[in-house]
Amino acid sequence: MAIADSSSYRDHRRVLPQHMAALTLLQGRLSVPTTDHLSWLDLACGRGQIILFLDENLSAEARSRIEYWGYDIHQESTRETARTAGQLGLARIESHVGDLANFNRVLPPNVQFDFITLTNTVHEILPARFALLLIDALKRLTTNGTLFIYDMERIAPPELGAVPWRRDDIRRIVLKVISELGVLNYRPEVPTWSHSSTTGWSVQIDRRYLETEPDQYEARLTAAVAATEQEISDVVRDRLCECRSALEALTTYGAETSEEEGDKERLLFEFWALERASRTTT
Ligand SMILES: C[S@@+](CC[C@H](N)C(=O)[O-])C[C@H]1O[C@@H](n2cnc3c(N)ncnc32)[C@H](O)[C@@H]1O
């Protein structure tokens, strides 16, 4: 289920830096001489902002090798995205409607993707569902596939029920999945990116570094779900504790600076989202 405050952005005037980052990875993959086609699953595609300028970002020849799959809970969004995709000369366009929690069941089995994006959406996902989503996405990667996720540490304006994860939370969760797979030497970077009004984080996970034993890959991922769910639950508990202390301090001593004054509203929104999340995590 999507939160009611969810909003999908479409702006014909600018490319968002998070989309630019994803498209730069895509461009690199399409430039590999052996890439005769590339399947791209855009989870929570929204209104297609990421492909809005694709005719400027990539040559017609490169675009003609892309099979684009858009997936979102809102049919009007997938329709708008498909309409945009339809003008780009792509090899194939697929639109699927459903909850992210079910994407693996909604998409046809045995279809795998060279590139999976999940941008600006993790804060809208119920933390109890995030482990399975992450692991299902990793299962859907081709052996050379990449999962790219980008989101914000703070949502402005705040959205009721949204959990803005921090870089360190995401790093903890990703490293947990990787250690559960028995992979010792792969530690994907989770950088932060300063924007004018907030900070973003991103992570890129390449399947080729996750496969210790290829025939065990899916089974090991399935086995990693419970431990990852537990890690997410621990992160939520830690964050809730931190948020409660910060609110307690503001209640007792008041806000001294305009920054602390602004923090009040943010912390209240976060408290509600984390408290709600803590009721659904293990
Ligand atoms: C802020 S928009 C981001 C859209 C796009 N990825 C982008 O970067 O522009 C979040 C999207 O997530 C979708 N969404 C939120 N919760 C969802 C869920 N549980 N299942 C499927 N889609 C969901 C919303 O419909 C919305 O299109």
Side-chain angles (χ1 to χ4, degrees):
M1 213 171 84
I3 55 173
D5 275 358
S6 164
S7 65
S8 192
Y9 178 92
R10 190 164 158 116
D11 185 338
H12 282 271
R13 289 161 305 172
R14 67 191 194 109
V15 184
L16 298 182
Q18 48 271 54
H19 295 160
M20 216 186 290
L23 296 174
T24 303
L25 293 179
L26 189 69
Q27 164 225 319
R29 301 188 72 99
L30 286 163
S31 303
V32 173
T34 48
T35 307
D36 51 14
H37 82 283
L38 184 146
S39 50
W40 173 13
L41 170 62
D42 189 16
L43 287 171
C45 61
R47 300 172 59 196
Q49 179 74 26
I50 198 168
I51 55 167
L52 213 48
F53 302 93
L54 215 60
D55 57 344
E56 294 170 19
N57 310 140
L58 295 170
S59 67
E61 189 281 322
R63 296 198 306 273
S64 73
R65 286 181 276 140
I66 298 175
E67 298 175 7
Y68 176 82
W69 295 57
Y71 185 94
D72 201 279
I73 201 162
H74 290 126
Q75 191 171 41
E76 51 294 11
S77 295
T78 55
R79 273 211 195 113
E80 194 173 1
T81 299
R83 240 191 329 269
T84 304
Q87 291 158 8
L88 292 168
L90 306 181
R92 177 177 176 183
I93 300 160
E94 289 267 347
S95 290
H96 292 265
V97 178
D99 197 304
L100 281 168
N102 299 328
F103 94 87
N104 206 24
R105 272 170 280 160
V106 172
L107 298 187
N110 305 325
V111 179
Q112 289 190 296
F113 300 93
D114 302 304
F115 193 47
I116 300 182
T117 45
L118 177 64
T119 54
N120 300 337
T121 303
V122 179
H123 63 276
E124 298 188 13
I125 299 165
L126 203 57
R129 305 262 162 80
F130 186 42
L132 191 60
L133 170 62
L134 185 59
I135 282 170
D136 279 346
L138 294 174
K139 282 184 183 169
R140 285 284 182 160
L141 291 175
T142 55
T143 49
N144 197 29
T146 295
L147 169 64
F148 176 80
I149 311 179
Y150 198 118
D151 206 12
M152 302 300 165
E153 290 198 325
R154 292 181 181 196
I155 310 304
E159 296 170 5
L160 212 52
V163 177
W165 297 96
R166 295 191 201 136
R167 176 254 299 266
D168 291 344
D169 305 332
I170 292 301
R171 183 188 277 145
R172 229 172 114 175
I173 296 163
V174 168
L175 292 184
K176 184 69 185 174
V177 177
I178 290 175
S179 77
E180 286 297 307
L181 291 179
V183 177
L184 301 175
N185 57 357
Y186 180 42
R187 298 175 72 80
E189 281 294 310
V190 186
T192 52
W193 307 96
S194 290
H195 296 260
S196 54
S197 59
T198 184
T199 302
W201 54 262
S202 65
V203 65
Q204 172 194 335
I205 308 178
D206 290 310
R207 171 166 169 178
R208 63 181 180 275
Y209 305 123
L210 295 177
E211 282 192 73
T212 42
E213 298 155 273
D215 54 337
Q216 293 291 306
Y217 180 70
E218 280 220 26
R220 277 180 174 256
L221 277 171
T222 303
V225 173
T228 310
E229 282 173 349
Q230 186 57 54
E231 189 71 21
I232 290 174
S233 172
D234 293 348
V235 172
V236 168
R237 189 204 52 222
D238 294 350
R239 287 276 307 273
L240 189 54
C241 220
E242 210 183 292
C243 188
R244 193 177 278 121
S245 306
L247 283 168
E248 191 60 50
L250 281 171
T251 306
T252 310
Y253 306 112
E256 284 178 5
T257 61
S258 57
E259 198 184 5
E260 282 181 353
E261 193 56 46
D263 275 350
K264 265 193 209 168
E265 186 192 40
R266 178 183 63 79
L267 287 165
L268 283 167
F269 270 85
E270 265 188 42
F271 183 78
W272 166 244
L274 290 163
E275 201 278 328
R276 180 173 179 263
S278 72
R279 281 184 269 122
T280 50
T281 49
T282 43

